Amino acid sequence: MRIRQLECFRTLMIHGTMTRAAELLSISQPAISSTIANLEHETGLKLFVRKGGRLQPTPEARLFFVEAVRALEAVEKTNRIAKEIRTGKRGHLAIAAYASISINLLPRLMAEFAKERSGLELKIITRNSQSVRELMTTQQFDLAIAELPLDYPTSNMQVISYECQCMVPIGHPLAEREVITPADLDGVPFVSLFKGDPIYQQLALAFSAYGSAWNVVAETEFFSTACELVRSGMGVGIVDPVVSLPFTRDLVLKPFSPAIHYQIALLLPTQEEPSQLAREFAHYLKQHL
Amino acid sequence: MRIRQLECFRTLMIHGTMTRAAELLSISQPAISSTIANLEHETGLKLFVRKGGRLQPTPEARLFFVEAVRALEAVEKTNRIAKEIRTGKRGHLAIAAYASISINLLPRLMAEFAKERSGLELKIITRNSQSVRELMTTQQFDLAIAELPLDYPTSNMQVISYECQCMVPIGHPLAEREVITPADLDGVPFVSLFKGDPIYQQLALAFSAYGSAWNVVAETEFFSTACELVRSGMGVGIVDPVVSLPFTRDLVLKPFSPAIHYQIALLLPTQEEPSQLAREFAHYLKQHL
DNA sequence: ACCACCCTATAGATTTAGCTTATACCGAAG
DNA sequence: CTTCGGTATAAGCTAAATCTATAGGGTGGT
């Protein structure tokens, strides 16, 4: 049994004559005639009686019709879904990400991405960057976002790099500067990330290169926490200009020199082929980060 | 999208390699290879990545697989049902019949007929013979059984004719006879059908031809009622030897001469082609009546 | 009665899916 | 470095589905 035969049969049952069915299917009348003859032969069912030069469906045809329509609709649904998968409207996107990005920026971007893709299932799992990396190897996720550096890098990794900016409270004397350097921050109370963080290490190097005193008054795990401390007047700080942007309301951001690099990585599965959808979203992220 | 492509895809997804799938489908490996390549091209989905000379299904393939299986099962169900329709295991058999036959004989025969045909829907509607005839013209039934004669006969009518037998209570003097004639019943109390019935007319003719006195002590609408009256000792009677047989327990049946004909007709729809099932059952009935 | 019109069936030619066999290629394992 | 298990490509075949052209059957109007 072929799909084409069922299509011809359905159209013929609905519209009554072969000539009309042929028109609707944009084929010639003999094509319908022989296709139906084949269907009758293959199913062993007499579907129509030729009566007065016209066709009359048999009771068997009516019974068969119900099933034929059901099968056709299943096939048509399969076609539709193939298209949805192809255009990224159907699928699932399970993303593992570190805290700062998964709190605000990532969900906003995912929601935007999903807006034009109706059937999408979304999942966001928040873990620290090293756990994120480990989850990916167990194949549980379509995409992961981690901060660099990682203990062991992956082949399927795309790095996004930012230059951090200095953040000061509104009205702070340094808020007027075009660029801020360690010299400007000599002895100024400073909110930093933890000592183990690469940001900490880069800052320490920068201050020592300038011979300035780095007066660290607070250490935090996340930029977002640091933002809040700066906003509360603890001192000045440093922050990445994209991921942490949502937390910098009422703060002034200024370029910092020398460049303090903040790097995050998009990781795709290595064992298994990443889904088209994951690739698309990775591309979307790179454009919006 | 063709059914064959989905079959190949399903087998390949389940068994992992093209070589194995080809074996299971009893075709060559290149056949699978090109069929899958076509499916990928037509759906626009990359279903497998060729990795290390082996195939690895993509996430898209897994999503598509679910739908492909659904569609295939619908098509396979359609094939199965075509076969059931062809072998008469599926369908409906709505039969209109007159009272005597629909009380006992017809349901027994229908049950027997349906025993080997699992999916059958049965309907029995009981009406008097003339109503039965009229119901058939409105296309509501697959088969009708009516007593003859009818007001206007039909082309699509098969007549079954019986010679009625005389029924007497057990121990009645006439119970020993080989054949009973009107001469034997001269003045004997007799239970007959109603005056309008052809049986009544035939009996009246027979008695007058023999010059015997026909002593009708009761008239009934149905043979079954007459049987009960005879069994109760009202007199003797006449009955058809098949349809009314279930009602003649504890009665003795003897051939009657001259022949009293009892005729029933099987009517098939005229406007519309009768279903194969109706034809089969009509044939079955003719053999068992 | 006959012709026009509508419908279906058949014949012969063409295209293409799906199949075959033969063969090349590729990676892993001995 | 060869063998083995697997996949892809090429060339050729068959059958399904399509086309055009044409025949034939019914119905209704003139």
Side-chain angles (χ1 to χ4, degrees), chain A residues 43 51 60 86 271 276, chain B residues 43 51 60 86 271 276:
Chain A
T43 56
K51 197 169 184 176
E60 286 79 18
R86 177 159 29 94
Q271 306 288 79
Q276 186 56 34
Chain B
T43 57
K51 196 169 186 177
E60 287 78 19
R86 177 158 31 94
Q271 306 287 80
Q276 186 56 34

Side-chain angles (χ1 to χ4, degrees), chain B residues 118-137:
Chain B
S118 53
L120 231 49
E121 290 174 38
L122 301 180
K123 254 186 219 172
I124 307 180
I125 306 291
T126 305
R127 295 282 187 280
N128 71 52
S129 292
Q130 195 52 45
S131 300
V132 159
R133 170 72 186 76
E134 282 153 12
L135 280 175
M136 280 309 280
T137 64

Side-chain angles (χ1 to χ4, degrees), chain A residues 71-136:
Chain A
L72 273 177
E73 281 169 359
V75 171
E76 282 159 4
K77 185 179 174 198
T78 302
N79 271 309
R80 215 165 45 242
I81 282 175
K83 188 177 174 187
E84 286 181 8
I85 295 172
R86 177 159 29 94
T87 58
K89 283 196 178 144
R90 173 173 291 254
H92 51 80
L93 208 45
I95 300 186
Y98 65 95
S100 305
I101 200 169
S102 71
I103 288 170
N104 185 302
L105 187 63
L106 181 62
R108 265 182 18 230
L109 289 175
M110 285 181 80
E112 183 66 28
F113 182 77
K115 199 175 275 179
E116 298 302 309
R117 296 168 165 84
S118 53
L120 231 50
E121 290 173 39
L122 301 179
K123 254 188 220 171
I124 307 180
I125 306 292
T126 304
R127 294 282 188 280
N128 70 52
S129 291
Q130 195 52 44
S131 300
V132 157
R133 171 71 186 75
E134 282 153 12
L135 280 174
M136 280 310 280

Side-chain angles (χ1 to χ4, degrees), chain B residues 247-258:
Chain B
F247 308 112
T248 57
R249 209 160 26 90
D250 302 330
L251 291 174
V252 178
L253 298 190
K254 291 289 164 185
F256 186 83
S257 175

Side-chain angles (χ1 to χ4, degrees), chain A residues 2 4 27-28 30 34-35:
Chain A
R2 279 168 293 288
R4 190 55 168 164
I27 57 176
S28 67
S34 76
T35 301

